[in-house]
Amino acid sequence: MVLGTDSRVLTLAFARMADALGNSFLIIVLPLYIASGQVSLAGIAGQQVLGLTLQTETLIGLVLSLFGLLNSFGQPFTGRLSDRTGKRRVFVLTGLVLFAIGSAAYPFLSSYWTVLAARAFQGIGAAFTIPATVALVNDYAASDAERGGNFGVFNTFRLIGFGFGPIIAGVVITGGLSANDVVTYRVAGTAISGFTAAFAIAVLGAVVSFALVWALIRDPPFEAEAGKDLSIAILDREGEGLDSVFVLGVGTFMMASTIALFATLEGPVRMRLDESTLFFSVQFAAVVIANVVFQVPIGRASDRFGRRPFIVAGFVILVPSVFAQGIVTGPWLMLLARFVQGIAVALVFAPSLALAGDLAGARGSGTTLSVLTMAFGLGVAIGPLASGLLYNFGSFSTPFTAGAALAFVGLVLTYSQVEETLDLGQGSDQPAPQD
């Protein structure tokens, strides 16, 4: 045990931190790369599809969304397969290899369709890595009383990579804290653009993750957990309401969608707030930085006081924090709104994973937790695309107003349908029997 956490969980956390840093680089880099002119949009931008003009923001949203779509829809299959085979480690390693190959390809691609294909390749890789990783974290929990803390620690390190990656990416691309132009580096007499340097760091993140998992992670004792049924339960066992895991999946999708609304609108946000690329990166990262600060204490508090109160409180805070982003007119107010949104996400995500882990049982941890990880990835996928479309059809505030409405629906669903899994009257080592 290190810092009160299983050393294997810490290893997985460090591995995901390195991998997440590389992926978050691309969330900032790819929109700039596509808009820079180095990726040809000839014959695509300006075309009419179903009455919609394909503007650059829409095309960027499609690239960002495709990763999450393939990642999300692949996770139920890879999560179930890892439950049936018990080979979680090989799933994680396979996904990291696919992600690294996609990152390494970008500097050699010059057309929009090839960039789209590379991002799709990475989405398939993530579908292998994510459910197997969270299943391992769940498997390593010695009891229900440790699960929230384990997920809090894991998410903290993952989010450190995801949160600080955009800030580092802004510096790598422009070569400074206040510059906006893409810098050119000289390495052994060879000119390397800031874009290529950023893609190289994304590859490095995957390589570091691969090395850590290869050297230090082993599969736990195998007990086949999953059957052949790939369906997701919608109703609870009594048929009197919705299944808690399903509701948490829906809520996680809505929450993740609100996080991802911001990425597509880099140009409009910077113009509206008159800010630099780096300050936009800091605003993007503020959600994740807040998660880093609050994940572990919230996760451990949910082991003691129950999961449901934190989840409900998170959605209560999420609604106004998302709505505010559509109406603020100053960069520091936007930063504050994003940070408060991050607190809301921290309140929802670790307790949700812990609650789903409490209920895994015969369902299989990879299968059950993949509902939430799939939902999160799907939200991150749909968010940028929806943001681009809503921006084209409405005004700057439209995507954020829609996101606040989604958060409110998530609040109603979780408050009315999610039941507590810890029997706090008898201690928190056993899940409550009602679900």
Side-chain angles (χ1 to χ4, degrees):
M1 299 287 285
V2 180
L3 300 176
T5 303
D6 191 310
S7 60
R8 296 168 298 178
V9 173
L10 283 175
T11 298
L12 289 169
F14 277 113
R16 283 294 291 139
M17 179 178 69
D19 176 47
L21 186 145
N23 186 36
S24 67
F25 255 60
L26 300 181
I27 293 176
I28 294 295
V29 174
L30 286 176
L32 294 173
Y33 192 56
I34 293 170
S36 70
Q38 298 191 49
V39 175
S40 174
L41 303 179
I44 307 173
Q47 296 296 309
Q48 292 278 334
V49 176
L50 300 177
L52 173 68
T53 301
L54 295 179
Q55 299 182 14
T56 301
E57 287 79 11
T58 306
L59 296 173
I60 290 171
L62 180 59
V63 168
L64 298 179
S65 295
L66 185 61
F67 172 88
L69 289 170
L70 293 175
N71 165 21
S72 299
F73 288 121
Q75 285 189 38
F77 298 94
T78 57
R80 181 60 58 100
L81 191 57
S82 77
D83 282 339
R84 298 187 67 190
T85 62
K87 304 295 185 182
R88 309 225 195 264
R89 178 172 174 266
V90 71
F91 279 77
V92 177
L93 295 174
T94 299
L96 291 171
V97 169
L98 294 176
F99 185 86
I101 292 173
S103 296
Y106 286 121
F108 306 99
L109 306 178
S110 59
S111 74
Y112 177 78
W113 295 115
T114 55
V115 169
L116 196 67
R119 195 60 172 154
F121 199 67
Q122 292 183 304
I124 295 171
F128 277 87
T129 299
I130 294 174
T133 303
V134 296
L136 282 169
V137 174
N138 189 67
D139 293 343
Y140 291 153
S143 68
D144 293 325
E146 292 182 6
R147 186 166 287 116
N150 274 6
F151 279 117
V153 170
F154 175 76
N155 281 328
T156 293
F157 282 94
R158 177 181 66 88
L159 291 167
I160 287 174
F162 192 76
F164 288 93
I167 299 174
I168 300 172
V171 174
V172 169
I173 293 171
T174 62
L177 296 177
S178 59
N180 287 313
D181 296 329
V182 179
V183 71
T184 298
Y185 297 95
R186 304 293 299 186
V187 179
T190 302
I192 298 178
S193 76
F195 288 125
T196 301
F199 293 137
I201 293 176
V203 174
L204 180 62
V207 171
V208 170
S209 295
F210 185 97
L212 287 170
V213 174
W214 175 269
L216 300 173
I217 295 298
R218 296 293 180 268
D219 289 315
F222 173 55
E223 295 181 9
E225 294 181 310
K228 296 181 180 180
D229 186 12
L230 279 171
S231 63
I232 297 172
I234 296 177
L235 300 177
D236 65 17
R237 294 175 183 177
E238 289 75 29
E240 298 177 353
L242 297 176
D243 180 75
S244 290
V245 175
F246 171 75
V247 173
L248 290 174
V250 173
T252 298
F253 164 78
M254 294 173 174
M255 175 194 71
S257 298
T258 68
I259 299 173
L261 293 172
F262 199 69
T264 305
L265 302 178
E266 178 172 354
V269 168
R270 288 178 54 201
M271 182 179 298
R272 175 182 174 88
L273 304 182
D274 189 24
E275 63 186 24
S276 66
T277 298
L278 180 61
F279 205 92
F280 175 86
S281 300
V282 173
Q283 290 167 342
F284 180 86
V287 170
V288 186
I289 293 170
N291 271 268
V292 168
V293 174
F294 292 102
Q295 275 284 327
V296 172
I298 288 172
R300 288 179 174 162
S302 77
D303 289 333
R304 182 177 180 184
F305 300 108
R307 323 292 192 197
R308 184 175 177 274
F310 293 94
I311 298 170
V312 172
F315 279 106
V316 169
I317 297 172
L318 187 64
V319 175
S321 65
V322 174
F323 180 77
Q325 293 171 45
I327 60 176
V328 298
T329 56
W332 290 101
L333 288 175
M334 180 67 82
L335 182 64
L336 176 62
R338 294 284 294 174
F339 189 83
V340 173
Q341 182 183 7
I343 297 173
V345 173
L347 285 163
V348 171
F349 201 43
S352 293
L353 285 169
L355 193 151
D358 294 339
L359 297 174
R363 306 186 193 191
S365 56
T367 304
T368 304
L369 294 169
S370 72
V371 174
L372 269 66
T373 57
M374 176 188 71
F376 189 89
L378 190 60
V380 171
I382 296 296
L385 185 59
S387 180
L389 293 173
L390 290 169
Y391 176 77
N392 288 337
F393 281 120
S395 63
F396 178 84
S397 65
T398 304
F400 300 104
T401 301
L406 277 181
F408 181 76
V409 174
L411 170 62
V412 172
L413 285 174
T414 53
Y415 182 81
S416 62
Q417 301 295 321
V418 174
E419 298 184 18
E420 182 58 63
T421 53
L422 297 185
D423 187 351
L424 301 176
Q426 300 177 9
S428 59
D429 287 343
Q430 298 296 326
Q434 67 263 28
D435 203 325

